[in-house]
Amino acid sequence: KSEVAKLISSVFNSQVFLSGFVHCDPHPANCLLRAKNGKPELVLVDHGLYKQLDDNFRIKYAELWRALMMADLEGIKSACSGLGVTNMYPLFAAMLTARPYDEIIERSKTGSFSTPSSVTPESQADKAVIRGYAKQFLTEIFALLGVLPRQMLLLLKMNDCLRHIDMALDSPTNTLVIAGKYASKAVYMHQMQTQGTTAIDRIQYWIEYIKVLLRISLHDWMQALHGLKL
């Protein structure tokens, strides 16, 4: 189940951040699985709700998810501003990750990609916090939806569908890391294509990207080790 959940998350995040051509209706009936060479292969059906993201939006969104993964508080604020979200950026970050913004602040201090509660099935306390967010900030949520780019609304719908698939599989993945990995690649490719005017620039962007990949690899290794201990 874990491998299937990771596959599904990887396919859709690749669409969002790399190709920009996104199947926006990934509910379970539209995501079929078959075996190929002993491994699961994803087959998408019902192709009536695709969206081609414009490149400027795609890169801004990628910058946001990279910042969310890295717990870069200033980066989150800047990327949200680029998407038209200013004062309500902590609420927007919580909506995207389905986690309290306090967790991002906590990770910014520890340097971790996850907190203990973010990689385990949601507890009753977690659900209560999210429900509390929804009730407390209902007016702000509606105001936020009013200023977001139209493309974002479809991605919010897609994220919600993917979350339901995770719950159906009873094998929650760390979507933050998977999305952040593809987002970081998109940002790196954009930097090399549009901003890497000198060899020094290109080397600097490459080093930054390799640092991100090394942190992801270390996180995955630690999670695998933790799984073996369990």
Side-chain angles (χ1 to χ4, degrees):
K1 288 183 178 180
S2 177
E3 187 176 358
V4 170
K6 187 174 182 179
L7 169 65
I8 293 172
S9 183
S10 296
V11 166
F12 283 94
N13 280 292
S14 175
Q15 289 183 355
V16 170
F17 296 114
L18 300 183
S19 72
F21 189 57
V22 187
H23 188 305
C24 296
D25 193 22
H27 61 75
N30 288 342
C31 299
L32 308 182
L33 292 168
R34 64 186 179 192
K36 185 174 183 180
N37 298 324
K39 294 185 177 182
E41 183 178 56
L42 181 63
V43 180
L44 300 178
V45 298
D46 189 359
H47 303 290
L49 189 58
Y50 272 86
K51 178 66 178 177
Q52 180 65 59
L53 306 179
D54 69 64
D55 282 344
N56 182 60
F57 170 85
R58 179 176 61 84
I59 296 303
K60 288 294 183 184
Y61 189 56
E63 289 172 350
L64 174 56
W65 270 100
R66 184 182 66 169
L68 288 170
M69 179 181 70
M70 302 297 288
D72 175 2
L73 302 183
E74 284 302 316
I76 293 169
K77 184 177 180 180
S78 175
C80 285
S81 178
L83 292 168
V85 180
T86 52
N87 295 335
M88 294 184 286
Y89 72 90
L91 177 61
F92 184 41
M95 288 172 61
L96 284 176
T97 60
R99 309 297 305 175
Y101 190 71
D102 288 347
E103 283 194 3
I104 300 176
I105 296 175
E106 180 183 343
R107 291 192 299 105
S108 73
K109 298 174 182 177
T110 64
S112 173
F113 281 167
S114 61
T115 59
S117 62
S118 66
V119 292
T120 56
E122 287 185 345
S123 67
Q124 291 301 316
D126 294 330
K127 293 177 181 179
V129 169
I130 297 301
R131 285 197 299 268
Y133 262 58
K135 291 179 180 178
Q136 182 179 356
F137 298 108
L138 184 61
T139 301
E140 289 84 352
I141 289 171
F142 279 114
L144 179 58
L145 293 175
V147 301
L148 287 173
R150 299 299 95 184
Q151 301 169 89
M152 182 64 72
L153 300 182
L154 284 174
L155 294 186
L156 289 173
K157 176 183 184 298
M158 184 200 78
N159 288 342
D160 189 52
C161 288
L162 292 177
R163 226 169 264 126
H164 281 292
I165 290 177
D166 263 2
M167 292 172 60
L169 289 170
D170 194 26
S171 181
T173 60
N174 194 335
T175 304
L176 180 72
V177 174
I178 296 174
K181 178 180 179 180
Y182 285 98
S184 297
K185 183 175 182 179
V187 172
Y188 169 67
M189 292 171 63
H190 176 72
Q191 289 173 330
M192 296 296 278
Q193 291 169 3
T194 64
Q195 302 172 23
T197 56
T198 68
I200 294 177
D201 289 336
R202 289 176 171 269
I203 291 172
Q204 181 180 348
Y205 295 143
W206 180 78
I207 291 174
E208 291 175 355
Y209 181 53
I210 291 300
K211 285 181 179 178
V212 172
L213 293 184
L214 288 174
R215 284 190 61 184
I216 292 173
S217 296
L218 178 60
H219 171 271
D220 289 346
W221 182 79
M222 293 296 291
Q223 290 298 115
L225 184 62
H226 178 69
L228 289 175
K229 289 180 179 179
L230 293 177

